Amino acid sequence: MSAIDSLPPLREVIATHGLSAKKALGQNFLLDLNLTAKIARRAGDLTGCDVLEVGPGPGGLTRGLLVEGARRVVAVEKDARCLPALAEIAALYPGRLEVLNADALDLDWAAHLTPPIKIVANLPYNVGTELLVRWLTPPTWPPKWQSLTLMFQREVADRIVATPGSKAYGRLAILAQWRCDARVVMTLPPEAFTPAPKVHSAVVQFTALPAPRYPADPAVLERVVAKAFNQRRKMLRAALKGLTPDIEDRLVAAGISPTDRAEQISIEGFCALAREVAG
Ligand code: SAM
């Protein structure tokens, strides 16, 4: 019997500590410990890794990460009501669980962990995309993390792994796939959560590539992609007007037809265009 088995079931934890779900904090809890262990396993071998978890809540996924052998878990939780429940877990794993009562958006997370670092979280929906974009756009690459294993609304997960030509393809797909392998590794129905959200969810696994797939200046690429998808139904020569005076020539030089639309252009194409614009 592992140490985790001596903790009470999560429904009991929630009742004991009065953790009624708050919508404003995106609280949809996972109470099935088999499921949380499964998510933790999707992050790969955790032994020898520090893990950052955002939003541990009552600690279901936290338990999974510890059982799966994470060297240390740093769990950042905004809701102070969850702290006593998390302290019970920490007591069973001396020195392996540090709980920070903080807003993940304000935290210098890397200061609290030692590489190799993995990030695993059932993210609060209201800040999930914002956190992802920050993790995907550090000042230097490779990033301080090795992999991200993150729960999103299914619709967001679809946008992350979308390929050119699809409606879901856009800035998020390019940001994610330019410097990572990103794939959906699990899908979950609303009933998996308490309370059940209105939408389905999915876990996306991101593995950081040692270097970007194609060369480009990140700031220029971000500017080109944002502008191109801002008016995604327009032809690129119109959508990108004003980016440089000779945008049609730059498009052609990058091997892109000026009459194409943003969603038809591969990541390689956008990188070629970013290099033309920068040059
Ligand atoms: N990990 C738990 C689970 O799987 O059952 C809870 C996940 S719940 C979807 C999201 C959690 O993130 C909640 O516990 C919520 O209080 C916390 N949270 C919301 N906004 C946060 C923020 N800005 N920083 C840190 N935690 C936050």
Side-chain angles (χ1 to χ4, degrees):
M1 187 160 138
S2 73
I4 212 83
D5 293 324
S6 65
L7 289 164
L10 287 163
R11 275 189 202 285
E12 204 176 306
V13 171
I14 284 178
T16 308
H17 298 287
L19 302 179
S20 53
K22 286 189 182 167
K23 207 172 174 187
L25 286 171
Q27 292 183 335
N28 300 99
F29 300 130
L30 288 167
L31 304 186
D32 178 348
L33 289 168
N34 290 319
L35 195 55
T36 57
K38 205 166 150 187
I39 296 169
R41 283 197 291 276
R42 291 291 191 271
D45 185 5
L46 298 179
T47 55
C49 290
D50 275 13
V51 176
L52 173 70
E53 185 192 1
V54 171
L61 183 55
T62 319
R63 295 195 203 185
L65 295 168
L66 289 163
V67 168
E68 290 305 313
R71 177 176 63 194
R72 265 181 80 238
V73 176
V74 174
V76 187
E77 176 55 62
K78 192 173 173 179
D79 186 352
R81 295 179 309 157
C82 300
L83 301 184
L86 296 166
E88 286 172 11
I89 305 173
L92 274 194
Y93 291 91
R96 288 181 57 202
L97 173 59
E98 182 182 354
V99 180
L100 303 174
N101 184 202
D103 186 328
L105 291 170
D106 298 334
L107 187 79
D108 176 13
W109 59 269
H112 296 267
L113 298 113
T114 310
I117 297 168
K118 294 187 173 188
I119 301 180
V120 185
N122 173 14
L123 290 174
Y125 289 148
N126 41 354
V127 292
T129 312
E130 168 71 27
L131 285 168
L132 173 66
V133 169
R134 290 189 192 189
W135 289 326
L136 291 175
T137 54
T140 56
W141 199 270
K144 289 179 178 157
W145 50 266
Q146 252 182 14
S147 65
L148 311 172
T149 308
L150 305 173
M151 179 92 69
F152 295 99
Q153 300 180 50
R154 180 75 219 218
E155 175 267 332
V156 176
D158 287 344
R159 285 200 278 134
I160 291 165
V161 301
T163 49
S166 65
K167 265 197 177 146
Y169 181 65
R171 176 174 172 250
L172 213 46
I174 293 166
L175 215 53
Q177 297 172 41
W178 178 43
R179 299 191 285 195
C180 297
D181 275 326
R183 59 199 182 91
V184 172
V185 291
M186 199 189 289
T187 54
L188 290 93
E191 315 80 75
F193 301 84
T194 303
K198 288 200 174 70
V199 295
H200 284 250
S201 300
V203 177
V204 185
Q205 170 77 7
F206 304 76
T207 308
L209 298 173
R213 280 179 211 282
Y214 315 102
D217 179 292
V220 179
L221 179 63
E222 171 68 17
R223 201 147 40 91
V224 170
V225 168
K227 204 163 165 59
F229 283 99
N230 203 19
Q231 301 183 72
R232 61 186 295 144
R233 300 166 77 115
K234 283 199 174 171
M235 290 178 189
L236 284 169
R237 67 177 173 211
L240 295 178
K241 212 170 164 189
L243 195 64
T244 63
D246 53 353
I247 190 61
E248 288 216 31
D249 294 345
R250 304 274 175 159
L251 281 161
V252 172
I256 297 170
S257 163
T259 58
D260 277 352
R261 289 170 173 79
E263 70 184 38
Q264 295 168 267
I265 309 304
S266 65
I267 299 176
E268 188 174 11
F270 273 114
C271 289
L273 181 58
R275 292 196 300 276
E276 284 299 325
V277 169

